[in-house]
Amino acid sequence: MKNSIAERVFDFIKVFPPFSLLSNEKLKIISEEVKIIYLEKGKTVFKENDMFHDCFYIVRNGAVGLFRTKQNQKEMIDICDGGDIFGLRALLAQENYTLEASANEEAIIYGIPIDVFQSASENSKKINKYLITTFASNAFAPYTREQSDEIFDDYIPKDNYDIENLQAAKYTKKTISCSPETSVKNAAIKMSKHGIGCIVIVNKENFPIGIITNSDLKNNIATGKFSIDIPVKEIMSSPVKSCKKNITVTEAQLQFIKFNIEHLCVTKDGTNHSPLIGILTHHDIVLSIGNNPSVLLKEIKRAKRTKSLRSVRGKAHKLLQSYLDQNIPLRHIVKIISEINDAITYRVIENAIIKMHTAPPVGFAYMALGSQGRKEQLLYSDQDSALIFEDVPENLSEETKAYFLKLSGHITKALHKIGYEYCPAEMMASNPEWCLSRSEWKEQFRSWILHPDEKAILLSSIFFDFTRIYGDQSMIDDLSNSIFESLDQSSMLLSLLAKDILLSPPPLGFFKQLVLEKNGEYEDFFNVKRRALMPLIDAARLLILTHNVKEINNTALRFEKLSELEPENKELYDSCSYAFKALLKFKTKQGLINNDSGKFINLETLSKDEKLKLKRCFKPIREIQELLKFRFKVIS
């Protein structure tokens, strides 16, 4: 080193990418040529449309704001502090600056001469990759789709997957159909003429309303049960299950297994309330695939012992690893693993009922809560569940509850053997607190909403994310309606939930360092669940509740729905959705590497690139917290 100033520059930049990717010798060369610039608050580094400089910049101390002029108003789109680079895009593109950079507070920045840097980093693939990422991320406002596509590159679907079961299923476009008044005889003649095994019944608008198959003809007509001259509406299977034309092979197979059907009507918008455009049969799928997740679902359906289900869940764990290794889009992974988790739980419940020797005394529903309720459970995790049963006369209440507590005990025990740990806080259906009648559950939620306390706030993060796994869906719908009726009467809980969310510090501290655990077994580890995932999960839940949206529990889908409902915040919500999927994938990968939950991360095991990608996911967290603070008028 020539001087102490260069030494100080060297010590600072060596820990930040892209400089951290260079050797010490090359870093020394750069450090000796760095320009040190002091900025008073408000002083401009460059303005919009200024010609690009011969260097780019890294913030040493203080903060530099990046602004864009919109309708004669300066709008801050980002803020750079210690270690952040700015001014690189214009330099690489050889074009004028599209943003203004000025000191948000007193600051010291280093100017890195581009020719010196390029000479030192020549032929470095890692440097080039970093520069491309930075080029993209500085090209747009923080929450544009284009930037998100670059930053969350690993988590967004691409077009070059050759995984057979994730390709769009091939369906028959020339569908044979008839009206509901057509006679069974004429329908059968039509089927015979075209050599097909089914015919779709459509209304005047060409919406599918039913289907007749060879089995229907055999069971209802050939047996003499019905006359061949009756209209098809008398024996058709209705309603039909429908799908969109771009349904994947795996998704279709999951539908066939889940609903025990052989045909899916392909419609314009994927529902029964739009025109029929094709038919997809189970035979079509069988011809196009070999081994896929549906095989696991079939194993689950056949499993009579917990040991068999444990084996299937182990296979699903390996399937998860395989999908991540192949960089399959996370939305597909989540759908598949969630379906397998739910199917395992469903089969466990069926086996538990058999073990009870007597049928349930009244109707009931078993609910998954937490991550399984949100369909975000990829790794093995704690059990979170609840059970709701029909109201009974007071003299039968104790006996009925005892039955369902015993049933729930069998369920939680079997799930534990499969690999799902008992919930440490006992938030499980086997706990008398969470095994309640319909009216008791309504009153419980009503109490939490109208008379919120610390316990209500804590439990809301678990119990407001429920989904039916087994039993009567109408009971779940009734409970949901009751919850929103109570929310309409009081917004106090929502305000307290917003305040509670904002009590959690952001993932990055004042100097943009990750906030680490301060004590305990995981001291100096980063808690990616608590610091990064939960703020997004909690924010999505809270905001979707304010819109009275039911039946969307998944965090990414909640943000996508919010994007539709609040187009003025579309860019932020889209960015939150992408960030959540990126963080969930990151946590899952860490869990598979370390054979644990993936919640705690030792930063020393991460590369600089991984740390950078992790940090880039935190911008939406900061912004969504600011939105909550403003919307719910939370005072700091």
Side-chain angles (χ1 to χ4, degrees):
M1 286 290 179
K2 292 180 179 179
N3 54 60
S4 59
I5 294 178
E7 289 177 3
R8 287 198 294 272
V9 172
F10 172 84
D11 288 337
F12 177 76
I13 66 173
K14 69 180 182 182
V15 299
F16 297 104
F19 309 105
S20 56
L21 304 174
L22 295 171
S23 66
N24 286 346
E25 289 72 20
K26 292 183 177 180
L27 272 183
K28 289 174 183 177
I29 295 171
I30 294 172
S31 299
E32 290 172 355
E33 302 298 330
V34 163
K35 301 174 184 178
I36 301 173
I37 304 167
Y38 168 75
L39 299 172
E40 294 180 355
K41 183 177 180 180
K43 187 173 180 181
T44 299
V45 184
F46 51 77
K47 295 182 178 180
E48 285 186 67
N49 298 318
D50 278 357
M51 185 176 178
F52 61 89
H53 298 176
D54 61 357
C55 61
F56 63 97
Y57 304 95
I58 181 171
V59 179
R60 174 65 175 85
N61 296 110
V64 173
L66 300 179
F67 301 86
R68 172 172 287 147
T69 302
K70 195 173 183 180
Q71 297 177 341
N72 296 321
Q73 295 288 325
K74 273 182 36 172
E75 174 189 8
M76 179 183 283
I77 66 166
D78 200 5
I79 188 165
C80 304
D81 53 20
D84 282 347
I85 285 174
F86 65 97
L88 181 60
R89 181 191 181 279
L91 195 56
L92 295 176
Q94 298 283 289
E95 63 184 27
N96 292 351
Y97 292 111
T98 58
L99 305 175
E100 175 185 313
S102 58
N104 203 51
E105 58 187 65
E106 190 177 51
I108 295 174
I109 63 175
Y110 292 157
I112 315 295
I114 190 64
D115 56 344
V116 176
F117 178 79
Q118 287 180 329
S119 175
S121 61
E122 189 177 4
N123 297 325
S124 171
K125 290 183 180 179
K126 289 183 178 180
I127 294 290
N128 291 336
K129 181 181 177 182
Y130 175 85
L131 293 179
I132 290 170
T133 302
T134 305
F135 180 97
S137 63
N138 284 343
F140 306 96
Y143 303 116
T144 60
R145 176 173 295 274
E146 291 90 343
Q147 178 188 348
S148 296
D149 284 354
E150 294 292 341
I151 292 176
F152 305 112
D153 183 65
D154 288 353
Y155 313 101
I156 299 210
K158 300 180 180 65
D159 298 323
N160 59 349
Y161 290 105
D162 58 0
I163 308 296
E164 202 166 314
N165 60 352
L166 287 177
Q167 292 178 341
K170 294 181 180 179
Y171 62 93
T172 301
K173 295 180 180 179
K174 293 181 179 179
T175 308
I176 305 304
S177 61
C178 66
S179 72
E181 303 302 327
T182 303
S183 70
V184 172
K185 179 179 179 180
N186 287 336
I189 291 172
K190 208 171 186 180
M191 290 168 64
S192 177
K193 179 182 177 181
H194 291 278
I196 55 174
C198 70
I199 188 168
V200 181
I201 292 78
V202 297
N203 62 15
K204 293 179 181 178
E205 298 172 294
N206 200 34
F207 296 175
I209 60 173
I211 192 169
I212 288 179
T213 66
N214 285 333
S215 294
D216 294 318
L217 297 175
K218 179 182 68 176
N219 295 330
N220 294 305
I221 305 302
T223 58
K225 188 175 180 180
F226 294 95
S227 166
I228 198 168
D229 294 313
I230 63 169
V232 291
K233 65 182 181 181
E234 298 294 328
I235 66 166
M236 70 181 184
S237 297
S238 180
V240 295
K241 295 295 179 183
S242 297
C243 66
K244 290 185 178 181
K245 65 180 180 180
N246 59 352
I247 188 171
T248 67
V249 170
T250 292
E251 288 171 335
Q253 187 73 330
L254 290 174
Q255 295 296 306
F256 290 139
I257 299 296
K258 184 175 182 178
F259 297 110
N260 194 28
I261 56 176
E262 297 287 330
H263 305 82
L264 280 169
C265 290
V266 184
T267 62
K268 191 171 183 179
D269 70 0
T271 73
N272 293 349
H273 306 293
S274 67
L276 179 73
I277 60 174
I279 189 79
L280 179 64
T281 71
H282 188 263
H283 181 66
D284 295 330
I285 300 300
V286 171
L287 292 177
S288 64
I289 62 173
N291 190 13
N292 66 42
S294 66
V295 176
L296 298 183
L297 291 179
K298 288 180 180 178
E299 283 189 54
I300 292 168
K301 277 182 171 287
R302 293 195 301 265
K304 296 181 179 179
R305 301 177 60 192
T306 302
K307 184 178 179 181
S308 301
L309 292 172
R310 182 181 178 88
S311 172
V312 173
R313 187 58 184 85
K315 293 176 183 178
H317 203 63
K318 292 178 180 177
L319 187 67
L320 171 62
Q321 178 72 72
S322 171
Y323 283 167
L324 289 172
D325 289 343
Q326 297 170 77
N327 207 27
I328 300 300
L330 192 73
R331 72 169 186 266
H332 290 308
I333 300 175
V334 167
K335 280 183 181 179
I336 293 166
I337 301 301
S338 294
E339 199 69 50
I340 291 171
N341 284 331
D342 290 354
I344 288 173
T345 306
Y346 188 98
R347 187 57 180 159
V348 163
I349 296 169
E350 286 184 320
N351 290 343
I353 292 173
I354 294 172
K355 192 174 288 187
M356 292 293 291
H357 302 300
T358 58
V362 293
F364 77 100
Y366 185 90
M367 299 180 284
L369 312 172
S371 61
Q372 187 179 4
R374 294 189 302 273
K375 296 195 180 299
E376 297 165 1
Q377 186 186 62
L378 295 177
L379 300 168
Y380 290 106
S381 62
D382 298 341
Q383 297 180 45
D384 292 310
S385 61
L387 189 143
I388 179 173
F389 56 87
E390 283 290 5
D391 292 330
V392 295
E394 190 174 343
N395 63 316
L396 297 176
S397 177
E398 188 174 333
E399 178 185 341
T400 304
K401 182 162 184 171
Y403 177 94
F404 287 113
L405 281 173
K406 186 176 180 180
L407 174 66
S408 297
H410 289 317
I411 295 168
T412 54
K413 184 178 180 180
L415 289 172
H416 181 260
K417 288 181 178 179
I418 290 168
Y420 303 99
E421 295 294 330
Y422 292 124
C423 175
E426 295 191 30
M427 292 181 184
M428 299 179 292
S430 53
N431 183 338
E433 283 191 73
W434 316 128
C435 180
L436 304 173
S437 68
R438 184 196 290 245
S439 59
E440 287 173 332
W441 268 118
K442 285 185 177 181
E443 182 55 37
Q444 177 66 85
F445 276 101
R446 181 177 173 81
S447 175
W448 285 340
I449 294 167
L450 300 183
H451 309 288
D453 54 19
E454 288 186 14
K455 183 179 180 182
I457 294 170
L458 174 65
L459 296 177
S460 294
S461 65
I462 300 293
F463 285 87
F464 275 71
D465 293 336
F466 62 82
T467 190
R468 179 189 71 95
I469 299 296
Y470 184 99
D472 189 346
Q473 179 64 44
S474 66
M475 297 175 70
I476 304 299
D477 295 338
D478 186 33
L479 183 58
S480 294
N481 292 334
S482 174
I483 288 170
F484 283 104
E485 286 172 9
S486 298
L487 285 171
D488 286 340
Q489 296 175 38
S490 173
S491 60
M492 187 184 303
L493 177 64
L494 300 182
S495 297
L496 291 174
L497 286 174
K499 186 176 181 180
D500 188 66
I501 294 170
L502 294 171
L503 288 176
S504 300
L508 296 177
F510 184 77
F511 296 106
K512 264 202 171 178
Q513 298 302 309
L514 291 171
V515 178
L516 307 180
E517 299 303 293
K518 294 182 178 179
N519 47 52
E521 180 184 354
Y522 292 100
E523 184 177 358
D524 293 331
F525 278 57
F526 178 67
N527 189 332
V528 69
K529 179 181 178 181
R530 179 186 168 202
R531 303 287 186 188
L533 283 166
M534 289 311 301
L536 291 171
I537 291 169
D538 292 340
R541 179 193 308 110
L542 174 58
L543 290 167
I544 211 74
L545 284 173
T546 65
H547 286 283
N548 283 0
V549 173
K550 305 169 188 175
E551 299 176 358
I552 300 181
N553 285 355
N554 179 268
T555 301
L557 294 181
R558 279 173 167 170
F559 278 122
E560 289 173 18
K561 184 63 177 179
L562 287 166
S563 182
E564 294 177 20
L565 296 170
E566 300 179 29
E568 69 276 14
N569 293 316
K570 176 177 172 55
E571 291 177 352
L572 170 57
Y573 291 142
D574 284 349
S575 191
C576 286
S577 177
Y578 295 144
F580 174 77
K581 287 181 280 190
L583 289 164
L584 180 60
K585 190 170 185 180
F586 190 90
K587 173 181 176 289
T588 304
K589 283 185 173 181
Q590 289 293 311
L592 290 170
I593 290 170
N594 301 308
N595 195 30
D596 59 18
S597 67
K599 183 165 63 174
F600 293 99
I601 298 172
N602 181 356
L603 296 183
E604 293 181 2
T605 65
L606 302 184
S607 67
K608 294 289 183 182
D609 280 347
E610 287 175 321
K611 289 179 184 177
L612 177 65
K613 183 168 286 187
L614 190 60
K615 284 185 178 182
R616 288 193 181 280
C617 294
F618 298 155
K619 283 187 178 182
I621 299 174
R622 181 179 65 199
E623 292 299 315
I624 200 72
Q625 288 181 330
E626 286 298 317
L627 183 145
L628 294 179
K629 186 176 180 180
F630 174 78
R631 183 167 297 183
F632 292 93
K633 298 177 174 59
V634 178
I635 301 173
S636 301

